[in-house]
Amino acid sequence: MALGPRLDLRQSQSLVMTPQLQQAIKLLTLSNLELENYISEEIEKNPLLESEEPSVDSASADAELTNNIDEREIQRSDEILSTGPADAEATLEMAGDADQFSNNSLSQSDGSLDGSMSMNGASASSGMAGGEAPDFENILVADLTLTDELLAQAGAVLSHADLFIARHLIDQIDECGYLQCDLLELAHRIDVELAQVRQVLTEIQKFEPVGVGARDLAECLQLQAKEADRYDPAMARLIDNLDLLAKGALPQLKRLCGVDDEDLMDMIGELRAYDPKPGLRIGGTTVQSVVPDVFVAERNGSWIIEVNSATLPKVLVNRSYYTELKDGAQDKASKEWLNECLADASWLMKALDQRQRTIVKVAAEIVKQQEEFFRKGVEHLRPLTLKNVADKIEMHESTVSRVTSNKYLSCSRGTFELKYFFTSGIQSSTGGEAASAEAVKSHIKGLIDNEDPKKILSDDKLVALLKDKGFDIARRTVAKYRESLGLGSSVQRRRQKALEGKAA
């Protein structure tokens, strides 16, 4: 067969991820605090972006500049992010023809659901009591860390080589107060004698808080018992056999310690008064409270959904600076760079606008689906999947997943991650509506909390009681949910309640 060149004409379709589309998708996954950092970086890179309050006379000019962006690219991004109609504006509506959405609020014609939001960090007050969103910017900061406290104490009592060793030891103490290194390895690393390292560690274990510098729980309790002048031979044997205490082997402990029931209970009560994590009394690292991305509140029978704009800066295009640069640009490269900055700035504003609309849309659908939870509590949480929400709001399932990642919702019942509302279902034993896994966990916890100390509920008994409540659930599932709640088995709970009863 002869070989030779030829020309073929082929037609194909491909999905191209433009930088603007990638930016829009990335913004969906960011929380409000992450978005604040991202916007700050963009403002530093783009001279046309600023976070100041826009003036009245520049608002119209900014709108004209924004309209210069190619609307076809915006429609393409909406088509990717949504499985609904190709029209970009259609994807930004809440749900159905009866929903009305504007830059500041969304509502349903039946009055059952309202929402308010602000674009690009603008203030929005409707929906929260007193016209203001609650202040979630409080940050809890430890004034003095455990490391700082220990170093200060070491500097006061140690010097020269001992202080050098103490600093290395303190660096290996975790936030709970435990030493997390091998002494022999540390001695080799800093080239000192093991005996000297042990001697310095003994000095550190005398520091406040009592128990700090211990290498395990037994040593931590031992240090606290010595400080309280309660470390006698019987207490020493009890601390050396904490595993038997955890199992509730009281007769064996009495024989090992050589004490009677009353003395053993007194010793156990003494141990309960000690702190197993003494370092936490001073604090370790800076703690930051969770900042919700969405507020939900009920007003006159309607639900108000509001995006938290307190952490978002106001973003706008600097009109006067753009005009100044445009008049001064003479060469082609400068004009192209200026147009690129304008396009990026306008795209960022549009992406922020679309992000907030999408978040409100998803949050509003979650409130619709889980309305009983917001009114009555976790026991009324319904099974819900990402696909259910995606189908209702006519978006792709991956978009809903991005919106609900690392974002929190604040309501009268507390602050919850948006992923919390998506749970698997447990079939009803009566053939009714399925219940969510979180609701079943709540019932299990309630049954165990209210159980009679003399009649501890086994997993089989829990299965029977849950079936009476309408939950068709297997024993292994009950055990899995119980363990996820941090609740022990019936044997473990029986021993624990027996110890508590004797100690009391």
Side-chain angles (χ1 to χ4, degrees):
M1 183 176 64
L3 297 177
R6 69 174 186 178
L7 295 175
D8 288 333
L9 182 62
R10 296 181 181 179
Q11 186 177 8
S12 63
Q13 292 182 338
S14 62
L15 180 63
V16 179
M17 295 285 287
T18 64
Q20 292 83 1
L21 179 56
Q22 294 178 14
Q23 181 190 55
I25 294 176
K26 179 181 179 180
L27 292 181
L28 282 179
T29 63
L30 301 180
S31 65
N32 268 14
L33 294 181
E34 294 171 334
L35 183 62
E36 181 181 9
N37 294 331
Y38 179 83
I39 292 176
S40 298
E41 293 175 358
E42 290 297 317
I43 291 176
E44 290 180 2
K45 292 189 299 184
N46 195 330
L48 298 183
L49 282 174
E50 63 177 18
S51 57
E52 299 176 358
E53 287 284 347
S55 59
V56 178
D57 58 345
S58 64
S60 59
D62 289 337
E64 294 177 1
L65 294 175
T66 302
N67 291 333
N68 292 332
I69 294 298
D70 189 353
E71 294 294 332
R72 292 176 298 176
E73 291 293 330
I74 300 174
Q75 292 178 2
R76 290 181 61 196
S77 66
D78 288 341
E79 291 171 2
I80 299 301
L81 295 176
S82 170
T83 57
D87 183 10
E89 292 302 322
T91 66
L92 299 178
E93 296 175 357
M94 277 299 301
D97 296 336
D99 297 347
Q100 303 296 325
F101 195 104
S102 68
N103 282 351
N104 294 321
S105 65
L106 79 110
S107 62
Q108 283 188 325
S109 58
D110 58 6
S112 62
L113 180 65
D114 290 332
S116 61
M117 61 181 290
S118 59
M119 294 303 156
N120 302 328
S123 174
S125 59
S126 62
M128 308 306 292
E132 294 183 0
D135 183 13
F136 284 93
E137 295 182 352
N138 294 329
I139 297 177
L140 307 177
V141 180
D143 294 333
L144 190 66
T145 65
L146 176 62
T147 300
D148 294 336
E149 177 67 20
L150 295 178
L151 288 175
Q153 296 181 64
V157 299
L158 301 174
S159 61
H160 305 301
D162 289 346
L163 182 57
F164 171 77
I165 297 172
R167 287 172 179 170
H168 282 275
L169 286 171
I170 292 172
D171 284 341
Q172 301 300 320
I173 294 178
D174 64 15
E175 60 183 10
C176 296
Y178 288 91
L179 182 66
Q180 301 292 337
C181 74
D182 182 79
L183 295 184
L184 181 59
E185 180 183 347
L186 179 62
H188 286 316
R189 189 168 72 246
I190 63 179
D191 194 20
V192 296
E193 295 294 332
L194 177 60
Q196 191 175 4
V197 175
R198 287 175 175 169
Q199 182 180 356
V200 174
L201 177 60
T202 302
E203 292 297 324
I204 292 177
Q205 290 176 346
K206 298 177 182 178
F207 293 169
E208 293 290 340
V210 179
V212 72
R215 284 158 285 187
D216 52 38
L217 177 60
E219 187 176 15
C220 179
L221 297 178
Q222 179 188 113
L223 293 171
Q224 296 180 64
K226 289 180 178 179
E227 179 68 19
D229 197 19
R230 288 279 293 171
Y231 192 67
D232 52 30
M235 179 65 78
R237 294 189 187 98
L238 178 60
I239 293 177
D240 290 339
N241 294 276
L242 292 177
D243 55 335
L244 296 179
L245 180 59
K247 294 178 181 178
L250 301 185
Q252 189 173 353
L253 285 173
K254 285 193 297 182
R255 290 194 300 270
L256 289 172
C257 298
V259 296
D260 56 17
D261 288 341
E262 183 179 355
D263 288 339
L264 182 61
M265 290 301 105
D266 183 55
M267 292 163 59
I268 293 175
E270 185 78 19
L271 286 184
R272 289 181 181 274
Y274 296 156
D275 189 352
K277 297 180 180 180
L280 296 182
R281 279 183 278 169
I282 294 180
T285 58
T286 300
V287 178
Q288 181 170 311
S289 59
V290 172
V291 178
D293 299 88
V294 181
F295 298 129
V296 174
E298 186 177 11
R299 185 181 64 185
N300 299 327
S302 300
W303 293 105
I304 310 301
I305 295 93
E306 180 179 7
V307 173
N308 182 10
S309 59
T311 58
L312 295 179
K314 300 176 177 64
V315 182
L316 67 152
V317 178
N318 191 325
R319 177 189 60 82
S320 58
Y321 192 50
Y322 169 76
T323 304
E324 181 180 347
L325 292 178
K326 184 178 180 181
D327 295 338
Q330 301 298 330
D331 58 293
K332 182 179 180 182
S334 298
K335 293 181 179 179
E336 290 179 353
W337 173 80
L338 184 60
N339 291 332
E340 182 179 349
C341 289
L342 174 62
D344 291 343
S346 301
W347 250 105
L348 177 61
M349 296 180 66
K350 286 183 177 291
L352 291 173
D353 179 88
Q354 182 174 340
R355 173 186 180 273
Q356 304 222 83
R357 292 170 179 263
T358 306
I359 290 176
V360 171
K361 184 187 297 186
V362 172
E365 185 59 34
I366 289 176
V367 173
K368 290 179 186 177
Q369 298 288 341
Q370 303 289 6
E371 185 173 2
E372 290 300 307
F373 164 82
F374 291 98
R375 293 188 184 277
K376 301 179 182 179
V378 67
E379 293 184 356
H380 297 272
L381 196 65
R382 297 176 49 193
L384 186 64
T385 63
L386 296 174
K387 189 175 186 304
N388 296 144
V389 174
D391 291 342
K392 289 291 186 179
I393 64 177
E394 297 183 348
M395 281 190 171
H396 196 272
E397 187 175 344
S398 63
T399 303
V400 178
S401 177
R402 292 186 181 98
V403 170
T404 55
S405 296
N406 303 317
K407 295 180 182 64
Y408 292 84
L409 180 149
S410 176
C411 62
S412 60
R413 299 193 174 275
T415 301
F416 304 87
E417 188 177 7
L418 289 181
K419 291 286 188 183
Y420 173 83
F421 299 99
F422 298 90
T423 62
S424 56
I426 302 297
Q427 295 299 322
S428 172
S429 60
T430 59
E433 186 178 359
S436 73
E438 292 295 331
V440 176
K441 289 180 182 180
S442 177
H443 281 282
I444 292 175
K445 188 176 186 305
L447 290 172
I448 292 178
D449 289 343
N450 298 321
E451 66 184 352
D452 188 344
K454 298 181 180 179
K455 296 181 180 179
I456 301 299
L457 301 176
S458 64
D459 289 344
D460 290 325
K461 183 62 176 177
L462 289 173
V463 170
L465 292 175
L466 288 171
K467 190 172 183 180
D468 294 339
K469 291 177 174 288
F471 303 116
D472 187 10
I473 185 172
R475 181 184 179 279
R476 63 180 180 275
T477 307
V478 170
K480 181 180 70 173
Y481 288 171
R482 173 178 52 74
E483 291 172 358
S484 68
L485 292 170
L487 301 173
S489 64
S490 58
V491 176
Q492 293 171 329
R493 299 199 308 275
R494 185 177 294 108
R495 288 174 177 171
Q496 181 181 0
K497 290 183 183 295
L499 287 174
E500 292 174 353
K502 291 182 180 180

